[in-house]
Amino acid sequence: MECTIVIAGSAGEGIRTIGDVLADTLAAQGYAVFTWQEYESRIRGGQNSYTLRVSESPVNTPTMDADIFLYLNPQALEKYRSRIKPHAILLGESPAGEDSLVVPFKDLARSALGRPIYANTVAIGALTAVLGVDQDTLERVLAEEFAGKGEEVVRANHQAAALGFDHAHRACRDRCPWAFPKKDKSYYLISGNEALALGAFHAGCRFIAAYPMTPSTGIITYLAKHWEETGVFYEQAEDEIAAVNMALGASFAGARAMTATSGGGFALMVEAVSLSGMTEVPLVIVLAQRPGPATGLPTRTAQGDLLFAVHAGHGEFPKAVLAASDAGDAVHTMGRAFHLADRFQIPVIVLSDQLLADSRFSVENFHLETAVRRSFIANPEDFTEYKRYAFTETGVSPRLCPGRGPHLVTADSDEHDEWGHITEDLAATAPSMHAKRLKKQVFLQQDMRPPLSYRTEDAEDIFCTWGSTKGAALEAVDALRREGARVGLMHWSELWPPPAASFPGGARLWTVENNATGQWASVMALGYGRAVEKRVLRSDGLPLTAHDIRRAYHELA
């Protein structure tokens, strides 16, 4: 059984609270839940939506069409009417056709509890009645949600939920076909930003500095909230330039360090990306994409910064660009980012986006036992004479940290010799140092992991994807296969430098991206010399769905 629930209302009406509590309740019942949000950049007003996809096993991809639609005001109903399936259950305070259930959320809260603020919890109770969810589970979730506000608040929310449940249950009768009884199953329900933060912690990150910028802010706030358990120190910097340089300083001192931002903030960080490349100090940056240019659509999703990341920073130096696709992948992507940054002493950029950052995913197992954490800092006792930028076969010099031994550890943004002293010897030292740094690119490229191939053996058409479009593309491939189309998928998590990849002969290549120009197609042409024949693109701030991809395939094939 699968069901899509859409909750719609104005900013300030609490649709996120309704969605999060309902998601937690369904997860506690033993079901897989995926949630995604689209919302306007305003504190009050406008119309926003929160979508839940509930299933027996994880289907962590967005859908648009609602089986159940809860609207908190008439304007929300009008805006999102096109997302309502025929014969869907509509739930609101005013009637909206023969399939609507009228539940006066505010009036019930006001009459029973004296405060309309509990209307959201009345709505949650009504939704659980429509879905056939155990009320004991909802009560436990509400108790956890409001535990810090005192017993009186918890009791009031229990009462409000019961009011909504009873009212909707009487209205449902035989009209609600859904039933989600308690199951003996459990999943981790985690957002993309939380997963990126946990991945950083598990990779050994000990310092994060950042300036708040949607949609990346959840990373530092999560680590700040849990700093006592994780031991990750955090600093909200005065701006993005300060944040990235704080991270560089912590890394130079020997701590695994990172920063997180979005496109506008990353624009301020690119000089420090070059500084990392020149000084060979490891640096991890999470770049959470949103539509630009400039402020653009700050609360929407996009994949428009890929080429920006690949070419970021002045001068020539090696860097790696990775992209997380879902919460489970995000944990391991952060592990790889810190591994590559430390092994090759380079900047590594991890691409995320608003869809990944704000969505909540059901994950059965993170498989952390497969993640290997290794230190690449040398032992001071191994050296009688230490050169920070010593020439080596791989271009990677032994790295020591200042203050951890008798050796002088230097770093300079000017060109330098093996000791780290400034040089302008154009005849030998400067070109040799430049070549030393670029030599790392060869070994870095060999370490990059190849793309995932799915149902490509007999494929006539192959979708080439990266980042958060993976789930929708996989779902589209399976759907098109059932229709008889010979379609496959290749998905990249490690993007630059392009890893080795085997393309089936004769198959047409398609790019599937949340941008307007097909940026991954440009990277494939640059890195592989392969031309992409077809493009499935979306750039309106909303995520690509399997339905979008299937429709585009039928139109373009």
Side-chain angles (χ1 to χ4, degrees):
M1 179 180 291
E2 185 176 308
C3 179
T4 297
I5 305 125
V6 176
I7 303 162
S10 298
E13 287 191 303
I15 66 169
R16 180 169 182 174
T17 299
I18 297 172
D20 281 349
V21 171
L22 182 62
D24 291 340
T25 303
L26 288 162
Q29 284 283 101
Y31 293 90
V33 182
F34 172 76
T35 77
W36 69 278
Q37 304 174 60
E38 58 86 27
Y39 52 96
E40 298 181 24
S41 179
R42 54 197 299 174
I43 297 172
R44 291 287 186 271
Q47 299 299 333
N48 309 319
S49 71
Y50 186 116
T51 303
L52 301 89
R53 187 174 187 178
V54 190
S55 52
E56 298 275 350
S57 57
V59 186
N60 290 315
T61 62
T63 53
M64 292 288 177
D65 298 335
D67 296 297
I68 300 170
F69 183 81
L70 171 70
Y71 54 100
L72 297 180
N73 62 68
Q75 292 75 28
L77 174 63
E78 290 308 310
K79 177 178 178 179
Y80 296 104
R81 191 177 288 277
S82 62
R83 291 184 58 186
I84 302 171
K85 289 182 181 178
H87 308 298
I89 299 295
L90 279 66
L91 194 59
E93 292 191 300
S94 57
E98 61 182 21
D99 292 317
S100 64
L101 302 178
V102 178
V103 180
F105 310 126
K106 295 185 184 69
D107 288 346
L108 286 172
R110 188 181 293 109
S111 61
L113 299 163
R115 300 183 66 191
I117 193 173
Y118 292 105
N120 289 345
T121 310
V122 175
I124 296 169
L127 280 170
T128 57
V130 173
L131 291 164
V133 171
D134 294 350
Q135 287 305 284
D136 289 345
T137 305
L138 175 59
E139 288 188 358
R140 286 198 303 274
V141 171
L142 288 171
E144 293 170 3
E145 176 74 17
F146 297 104
K149 298 184 181 298
E151 293 183 6
E152 184 177 344
V153 172
V154 171
R155 281 196 300 270
N157 277 282
H158 283 168
Q159 188 177 349
L163 286 169
F165 180 90
D166 292 342
H167 196 99
H169 186 69
R170 288 193 300 270
C172 267
R173 296 179 186 155
D174 298 327
R175 298 168 58 190
C176 301
W178 309 103
F180 289 92
K182 181 76 173 174
K183 287 176 54 186
D184 186 21
K185 188 69 177 176
S186 64
Y187 300 97
Y188 297 99
L189 185 58
I190 183 172
S191 75
N193 273 342
E194 291 169 344
L196 290 165
L198 287 175
F201 159 66
H202 192 266
C205 177
R206 288 297 172 264
F207 179 76
I208 180 172
Y211 182 81
M213 190 171 190
T214 304
S216 69
T217 309
I219 297 171
I220 189 172
T221 55
Y222 186 82
L223 288 171
K225 181 179 179 181
H226 296 283
W227 77 273
E228 290 184 338
E229 301 106 290
T230 64
V232 179
F233 291 89
Y234 62 94
E235 174 70 20
Q236 179 177 317
E238 61 267 32
D239 55 41
E240 289 86 355
I241 297 172
V244 70
N245 283 289
M246 286 179 184
L248 270 175
S251 183
F252 175 69
R256 285 194 165 183
M258 67 173 290
T259 186
T261 188
S262 189
F266 185 68
L268 298 174
M269 293 182 177
V270 292
E271 185 177 11
V273 173
S274 273
L275 179 60
S276 168
M278 173 59 92
T279 59
E280 302 185 58
V281 173
L283 174 66
V284 173
I285 302 174
V286 175
L287 168 51
Q289 301 162 99
R290 66 194 205 188
T295 307
L297 295 167
T299 59
R300 309 292 181 166
T301 199
Q303 291 183 311
D305 294 340
L306 172 58
L307 293 178
F308 183 22
V310 166
H311 298 293
H314 56 288
E316 298 172 301
F317 57 94
K319 74 167 79 69
V321 179
L322 315 181
S325 58
D326 55 44
D329 181 60
V331 171
H332 291 274
T333 298
M334 291 303 290
R336 284 287 292 167
F338 280 100
H339 172 85
L340 294 172
D342 273 21
R343 179 181 177 185
F344 296 103
Q345 302 171 21
I346 58 171
V348 177
I349 300 160
V350 177
L351 293 172
S352 172
D353 55 47
Q354 184 270 329
L355 174 66
L356 174 66
D358 289 341
S359 295
R360 302 179 75 191
F361 300 78
S362 290
V363 181
E364 190 166 3
N365 191 331
F366 288 103
H367 298 290
L368 293 176
E369 70 280 358
T370 65
V372 177
R373 191 170 80 196
R374 176 184 168 190
S375 173
F376 293 94
I377 297 176
N379 184 348
E381 298 179 0
D382 293 342
F383 304 92
T384 54
E385 179 183 66
Y386 176 67
K387 298 177 181 179
R388 172 61 186 94
Y389 299 105
F391 293 117
T392 66
E393 184 177 337
T394 63
V396 179
S397 306
R399 178 182 170 218
L400 295 180
C401 301
R404 298 188 188 179
H407 305 292
L408 178 65
V409 181
T410 58
D412 202 293
S413 65
D414 286 77
E415 189 57 273
H416 41 259
D417 60 16
E418 290 184 274
W419 300 91
H421 302 313
I422 295 174
T423 183
E424 294 199 23
D425 175 14
L426 303 186
T429 308
S432 296
M433 273 292 163
H434 193 209
K436 166 203 174 308
R437 289 189 294 272
L438 290 178
K439 188 187 295 185
K440 295 189 289 186
Q441 181 93 354
V442 176
F443 297 92
L444 168 63
Q445 190 159 18
Q446 293 173 0
D447 200 344
M448 299 292 281
R449 292 179 176 174
L452 164 74
S453 292
Y454 179 71
R455 305 186 79 164
T456 58
E457 296 82 2
D458 64 340
E460 296 176 346
D461 296 285
I462 294 177
F463 296 147
C464 299
T465 64
W466 62 279
S468 64
T469 57
K470 175 186 176 183
L474 284 170
E475 186 177 7
V477 166
D478 288 340
L480 288 166
R481 282 277 179 171
R482 289 192 295 269
E483 297 171 9
R486 289 166 60 182
V487 180
L489 176 138
M490 294 178 70
H491 178 82
W492 281 258
S493 291
E494 305 196 359
L495 312 178
W496 189 266
S502 177
F503 297 92
R508 292 188 301 178
L509 301 182
W510 298 55
T511 187
V512 179
E513 304 183 59
N514 254 132
N515 58 52
T517 56
Q519 295 187 24
W520 180 241
S522 299
V523 173
M524 288 184 65
L526 180 64
Y528 297 114
R530 297 298 300 256
V532 170
E533 296 184 43
K534 304 288 184 178
R535 304 183 182 205
V536 180
L537 307 174
R538 183 167 193 170
S539 57
D540 59 357
L542 295 174
L544 275 164
T545 67
H547 176 75
D548 295 330
I549 298 169
R550 287 172 58 205
R551 181 179 58 198
Y553 179 81
H554 288 305
E555 291 174 355
L556 298 173

